[in-house]
């Protein structure tokens, strides 16, 4: 075992993630390596020191009651959010068709409204109809973006645990412990 | 998750509000402390703490994992990123702007260096020095270090929370330890540590 590998295993040992066989090999390395012995002692010392100073959360006033009250007062998700979540979960052609139809209907309504209400365009500015349509498109895109982010976020939080990453060389760790030893 | 934690969770699922209170108390210290130190007092830690629980309750049916605290930390991690992004709280030190919207660059919107309000509010000397040393760590290293020291979260779980490989999580911890040791050299000696 080299020191780079030993540093990696010292960290995994500290979190209880090192199996018995590798613990034995680490012990053998550390017994003969002053730098790794020092590193292991300092890892424990620094984490203990910081943990001992973990501030009691005196400022925290949240209780189960405040959480449940806040949850009960929270408005339900909007129609758009529910539609978008449903669509992501079951992207049936019918839902897609309904979405396109709704989009086109809204677009047409915006054009008609703009035409009815449009004052003459001032020089150098787009006609009012264009601005109304732009606003409407902005709102739709904002809604879609917000919903996509919210759903991606939800998925983030509920995803099943993935397989642990395959082992690879610990290239990011250079042995500063030796430079200072 | 030990048997008692699992029992509280099951009791709450069956509708016992008091069981939720016990879970909140049980996890308050690691979770609140993590949020406070990650955000350096630039946001209301209690607000985020409450929001973590609200989201956890809403998603409780989907929770099938072993490590409930790790799951709470994952929700907190996502919330801190979202709050930083929505409020455009933190300036990207590389571009001087409020940064892009990509999740991968979230760390740039967290306080990257220098003590924040929480540091100045911190109590006695050692506590203040630890806060200052933490504040100087890059946020992704600070997060790994706090997940280990406050939550005792395993590295495999930390890698999942940060969306990185196990080796990256280990390397971040390694660098955080070296920097914290350097910043707290005197305190560490007084604490009983040997520096040679
Ligand atoms: Zn060694």
């Amino acid at each position: 075992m080299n020191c780079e590998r030993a540093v990696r295993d010292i960290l995994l040992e500290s979190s209880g993630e090192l199996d018995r066989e590798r613990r034995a090999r680490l012990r053998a390395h550390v017994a003969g390596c002053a730098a790794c012995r020092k590193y292991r002692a300092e890892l424990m010392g620094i984490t203990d020191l910081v943990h001992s100073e973990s501030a009691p959360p005196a400022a925290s006033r949240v209780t189960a009651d405040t959480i449940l009250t806040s949850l009960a007062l929270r408005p339900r998700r909007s129609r758009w959010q529910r539609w978008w979540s449903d669509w992501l979960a079951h992207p049936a052609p019918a839902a897609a068709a309904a979405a396109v139809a709704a989009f086109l209907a809204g677009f047409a309504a915006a054009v008609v409204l703009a035409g009815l209400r449009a004052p003459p365009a001032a020089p150098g500015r787009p006609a009012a109809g264009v601005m109304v349509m732009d606003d409407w498109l902005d709102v739709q895109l904002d809604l879609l973006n917000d919903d996509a982010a919210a759903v991606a976020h939800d998925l983030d939080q509920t995803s099943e645990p993935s397989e642990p990453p395959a082992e690879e060389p610990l290239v990011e760790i250079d042995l500063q412990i030796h430079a200072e030893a | 998750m030990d048997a008692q934690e699992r029992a509280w969770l099951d009791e709450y699922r069956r509708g016992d509000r008091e069981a939720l209170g016990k879970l909140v108390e049980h996890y308050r210290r690691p979770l609140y402390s993590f949020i406070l130190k990650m955000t350096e007092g630039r946001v209301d830690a209690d607000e985020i703490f409450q929001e973590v629980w609200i989201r956890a309750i809403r998603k409780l049916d989907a929770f099938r994992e072993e490590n409930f605290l790790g799951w709470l930390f994952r929700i907190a991690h996502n919330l801190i990123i979202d709050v930083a992004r929505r409020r455009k709280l933190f300036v990207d030190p590389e571009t001087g702007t409020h940064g892009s919207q990509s999740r991968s660059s979230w760390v740039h919107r967290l306080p990257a260096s220098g003590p924040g309000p929480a540091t100045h509010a911190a109590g006695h000397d050692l506590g203040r020095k630890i806060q200052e040393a933490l504040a100087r760590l890059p946020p992704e290293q600070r997060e790994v270090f706090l997940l280990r020291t406050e939550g005792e979260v395993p590295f495999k779980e930390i890698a999942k929370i940060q969306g990185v490989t196990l080796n990256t999580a280990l390397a971040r911890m390694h660098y955080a330890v070296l920097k914290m040791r350097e910043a707290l050299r005197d305190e560490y000696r007084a604490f009983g540590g040997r520096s040679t």
Side-chain angles (χ1 to χ4, degrees):
Chain A
M1 178 181 282
N2 60 24
C3 290
E4 189 180 331
R5 180 71 187 204
V7 165
R8 182 185 196 280
D9 282 0
I10 287 168
L11 291 166
L12 286 171
E13 179 196 39
S14 74
S15 60
E17 293 173 273
L18 201 62
D19 62 39
R20 184 197 294 241
E21 188 195 329
R22 272 167 56 188
R23 268 208 315 275
R25 272 188 283 160
L26 176 64
R27 215 173 297 138
H29 175 89
V30 168
C33 178
C36 285
R37 263 203 311 281
K38 174 172 177 262
Y39 180 74
R40 183 157 74 169
E42 287 181 344
L43 171 67
M44 287 191 287
I46 288 294
T47 50
D48 283 354
L49 178 68
V50 173
H51 188 76
S52 75
E53 277 300 310
S54 176
S60 179
R61 298 272 176 270
V62 171
T63 64
D65 281 344
T66 65
I67 292 166
L68 292 172
T69 304
S70 174
L71 190 62
L73 293 173
R74 195 66 67 87
R76 294 297 305 164
R77 301 172 80 194
S78 73
R79 192 171 50 84
W80 267 102
Q81 281 174 309
R82 284 202 302 277
W83 171 82
W84 182 244
S85 303
D86 290 349
W87 189 83
L88 277 185
H90 310 285
V100 171
F103 186 91
L104 288 176
F107 189 84
V111 171
V112 171
L113 273 174
L116 289 175
R117 291 190 302 184
R125 300 185 60 194
V130 174
M131 292 175 69
V132 171
M133 282 189 292
D134 278 355
D135 290 349
W136 183 82
L137 279 169
D138 277 353
V139 170
Q140 302 310 315
L141 288 174
D142 278 354
L143 282 170
L144 287 174
N145 285 337
D146 283 356
D147 291 350
V151 170
H153 190 207
D154 290 352
L155 290 174
D156 248 17
Q157 290 176 12
T158 55
S159 62
E160 291 298 314
S162 54
E163 285 298 301
E167 291 202 0
E168 51 193 282
L170 193 54
V171 288
E172 280 191 58
I173 291 184
D174 58 16
L175 288 169
Q176 296 184 27
I177 49 172
H178 284 199
E180 292 175 25
Chain B
M1 185 160 49
D2 66 26
Q4 178 60 262
E5 294 164 341
R6 191 173 294 282
W8 285 332
L9 201 56
D10 289 343
E11 283 164 27
Y12 175 65
R13 278 181 163 135
R14 288 196 295 269
D16 181 355
R17 288 170 70 117
E18 277 186 29
L20 177 66
K22 286 170 185 159
L23 284 167
V24 171
E25 282 317 311
H26 186 64
Y27 293 125
R28 186 188 302 278
R29 187 177 185 128
L31 189 57
Y32 183 86
S33 200
F34 169 75
I35 294 166
L36 186 69
K37 288 174 180 169
M38 266 317 285
T39 57
E40 262 296 291
R42 281 160 220 254
V43 294
D44 183 348
D46 231 12
E47 204 177 291
I48 295 186
F49 180 75
Q50 171 150 306
E51 191 62 29
V52 169
W53 283 101
I54 287 172
R55 293 197 184 193
I57 289 168
R58 279 184 168 167
K59 304 283 173 206
L60 206 53
D61 290 341
F63 175 71
R64 301 267 183 278
E65 298 169 38
E66 266 305 297
N67 190 337
F68 188 64
L69 182 59
W71 190 60
L72 293 176
F73 277 126
R74 207 184 321 162
I75 296 173
H77 162 94
N78 287 337
L79 264 171
I80 290 168
I81 294 171
D82 280 1
V83 168
R85 187 177 59 193
R86 289 211 189 114
R87 298 190 192 173
K88 295 186 164 60
L89 284 179
F90 308 118
V91 174
D92 185 334
E94 283 172 14
T95 64
T97 67
H98 283 287
S100 71
Q101 296 299 302
S102 91
R103 294 180 74 81
S104 63
S105 63
W106 69 275
V107 293
H108 297 312
R109 287 182 295 279
L110 289 169
S113 62
T119 306
H120 297 300
H124 66 286
D125 214 35
L126 177 56
R128 186 176 49 76
K129 281 192 173 154
I130 289 173
Q131 280 282 24
E132 283 174 358
L134 281 170
R136 285 194 199 93
L137 293 179
E140 68 276 8
Q141 289 176 19
R142 188 191 321 158
E143 184 173 60
V144 175
F145 189 82
L146 288 174
L147 287 169
R148 284 295 310 135
T149 53
E150 302 292 342
E152 293 177 13
V153 181
F155 283 106
K156 275 180 187 150
E157 184 78 25
I158 292 174
K160 205 158 65 177
I161 289 170
Q162 291 197 328
V164 297
T165 65
L166 177 62
N167 279 340
T168 300
L170 290 168
R172 286 174 177 175
M173 181 66 181
H174 174 70
Y175 288 124
V177 167
L178 294 181
K179 289 173 191 167
M180 291 299 283
R181 182 200 58 182
E182 199 54 42
L184 300 171
R185 189 173 284 278
D186 297 339
E187 290 73 19
Y188 173 65
R189 279 206 195 105
F191 188 67
R194 287 178 301 121
S195 66
T196 51

